[in-house]
Amino acid sequence: MELNQYLSMFIDESKEHLQALNENLLNLEQNPNDVAIVHNIFRSAHTLKGMSATMGFEDIASLTHQMENVLDLLRNLKLQMDPVIFDCLFKSTDALEAMVEDIVQGGTGRADVSHIVTILKSIVSGDHLKGTPSVKEAVNESLPAIVIDEYQYSVLEQAISSGHQVFYVEVAVRDDCVLKAARAYMVFDVFERNGEVIKSTPSVEEIEQEKFEKVFSVYFISNISQEELEKTIANVSEIESVNATAIDKESLKQVTRENFNANENIGKAKEETAASSVKELMTAAPSKDAAIQTGAAANANAPVSNRTIRVDIERLDSLMNLFSELLIDRVRLEQLSSEIRRNDLIETVEHMSRVSSDLQNIVLKLRMVPVDTVFNRFPRMIRDIAKSLDKKVDLVITGADTELDRTVIDEIGDPLVHLLRNAVDHGVEPITDRIAAGKKETGTINLRAFHSGNHVFIEIEEDGRGINREKVLKTAVKNGVVTADQANKMSDEEVYQLLFASGFSTADKISDISGRGVGLDVVKTKIHSLGGHVSIESKLGSGTKFSVQLPLTLSIISAMLLRVENEKYAIPLSSIVETAVIQKDQIRHVQGNIYIDYRNSIIPLIALSTIFNVPKDDSEETKETEIVVVKKGEKLAALVVNEFIGQQEIVLKTLGKYLSNVFAVSGATILGDGQVALIIDTNALIK
């Protein structure tokens, strides 16, 4: 049987089952006595075992078989859940994800998971309750020595792209060194003064507690040279050797690939033994229970696989571009038919408009993907980080069905990972601090997504300690980011934006989890590259909210065309509350600002001709002013216009690299008569 043709199906279905494993394990952790959840986990593991054995990925089949043994005892109530079992099952899932990712990258999906298998076997035998072997140590044992996760990889990759130096540094202390932790602290002080540590092995906590033999290693981002770095660290007394290796993008990819394959040769004999035992298992007659479960899984998946096809994203891009041109021609035809006034032409154009509208809806839906595809991996990540920091955190997700363009979805994952990790590490306080402050011991992080105009907003809000304005300013002045005079004049929003400065950090101690320096710098760079914006609101002692605004790129929207003096503009209909005509004597001037009365409230009045520097036509002076009321969340504003042209379907086009970051303009469109109209970003106008 030719298996290559089934590889993509295996990868997709494996990812679905791994996601199901993660979600069900999180649910089981909250409800450890719910046997129904254990049954769901067992079915996912069993299906994954059968698929991987059929495809010849025997290491995956072997590990899932050992998981089945533990899960079988749990579902038959012969074993009670405990923290060691949870940790081991999560570690097993992580190892399976790593092996599947290796297959995605063109590898064999092989890895040395003997230490996890040892723990699973000890759980089945009951030895884990006796403490033999040392299960806790084995559970916490990392895979290869050099392991970086998705977040750390993206930070290093972005740092290299931004022109920073990235080093892998190994430091060895002398054999006769008495205070190893003190010497390590001095070395880390050198690191802190010259850059930022992204990952250390062993962890910083273990180094501080002197839980290392002689050598420790770090991934380090800096702007100093390799020679200068080695020389500075070597000057610390009782340091035997320093080896700094410069890392580029290719070597970084190679290192992460080696995370999966580093121990392949060492464990070759064990793997062959495991493979032969798996073959015996696969050729043996399956139990009745297993046959029922496999059949159920097949029936559940059959309709989905028969009703879906995979399409290259470039083909969807081409389809969207072609339809955009068709839409421009349709508008032109409508304009011509209204001028010629022939009934048969008008009827044909109207029919073409109806058909193209249906086609437009289909084309747009093809590209739109729910943000849930990104959000679904965060609950497990938050659980692991909170546990490593000894904190209690609830992640509340709302608006997961909000849809975004596929190109944006593919890029937004990394920035959200950075922000969420910062929220847990820097935002939510330790349990003792929260109790002392009169808060619940469990912190809450809200992850929201919603549409506003032709933008999508993603908010990350936590009820933690908030941002200390004075501490940020003090650090900024100390690092030369701003002067003392500038600091005194800055608003809160301007102060919070300093957190996005390259290399800026307010952390009191080194952390493997996150750092407000390279991490947030990466967030801002990525979001701006997508044509988006990120803002911060914070209240000391109450929490912080990061708000990410993203455009609906490559989309077709309904808009109101309007005239401002002699220029045409478009405003998305989703941003408009209503249009109206007001008398000029209704306009109020308050402390240099202009307002109008609007439905028992006062809202600001904004002259678009002033915002966009449009030359005024004095011949149009009248006693009345036409306005369009727009919204951003709960906030309203009125925009002054000269004429409402009408509603129209328009194609949102970007302005290109040469006209990036134009204030209050989200793009442009080509009208039926060939003119270009700018699309107004009303969110930028409302403060």
Side-chain angles (χ1 to χ4, degrees), residues 482-502:
V482 293
T483 64
D485 290 338
Q486 290 173 326
N488 294 330
K489 300 175 184 177
M490 296 179 78
S491 65
D492 287 348
E493 173 66 20
E494 290 171 333
V495 172
Y496 301 152
Q497 286 293 324
L498 293 175
L499 297 174
F500 294 113
S502 179

Side-chain angles (χ1 to χ4, degrees), residues 345-355:
L345 178 60
I346 292 172
E347 289 175 4
T348 304
V349 171
E350 286 178 350
H351 180 262
M352 176 185 168
S353 298
R354 289 193 296 271
V355 172

Side-chain angles (χ1 to χ4, degrees), residues 586-618:
Q586 294 178 254
I587 300 173
R588 300 183 179 187
H589 295 266
V590 181
Q591 295 181 347
N593 296 314
I594 307 174
Y595 298 91
I596 61 168
D597 291 319
Y598 177 76
R599 304 195 183 282
N600 301 321
S601 65
I602 296 176
I603 63 174
L605 183 67
I606 301 169
L608 291 178
S609 59
T610 303
I611 295 292
F612 297 118
N613 294 320
V614 182
K616 289 192 175 182
D617 186 356
D618 295 331

Side-chain angles (χ1 to χ4, degrees), residues 138-158:
V139 167
N140 293 323
E141 182 184 339
S142 58
L143 286 169
I146 309 169
V147 177
I148 55 175
D149 61 21
E150 180 184 5
Y151 162 78
Q152 291 154 350
Y153 176 84
S154 65
V155 169
L156 294 172
E157 185 181 42
Q158 287 289 333

Side-chain angles (χ1 to χ4, degrees), residues 163-211:
H164 295 287
Q165 293 270 22
V166 173
F167 299 106
Y168 176 70
V169 188
E170 285 189 344
V171 182
V173 298
R174 280 170 31 188
D175 292 330
D176 58 351
C177 180
V178 179
L179 299 172
K180 292 190 295 183
R183 297 306 173 202
Y185 175 82
M186 293 171 70
V187 172
F188 273 95
D189 185 56
V190 172
F191 286 138
E192 278 191 299
R193 283 188 279 107
N194 293 284
E196 183 167 354
V197 173
I198 300 302
K199 172 72 174 179
S200 72
T201 306
S203 69
V204 175
E205 291 75 15
E206 289 173 325
I207 293 174
E208 287 176 348
Q209 296 166 20
E210 219 167 83
K211 292 182 179 178

Side-chain angles (χ1 to χ4, degrees), residues 130-145:
K130 305 170 188 174
T132 53
S134 182
V135 173
K136 237 177 182 182
E137 290 178 16
V139 167
N140 293 323
E141 182 184 339
S142 58
L143 286 169

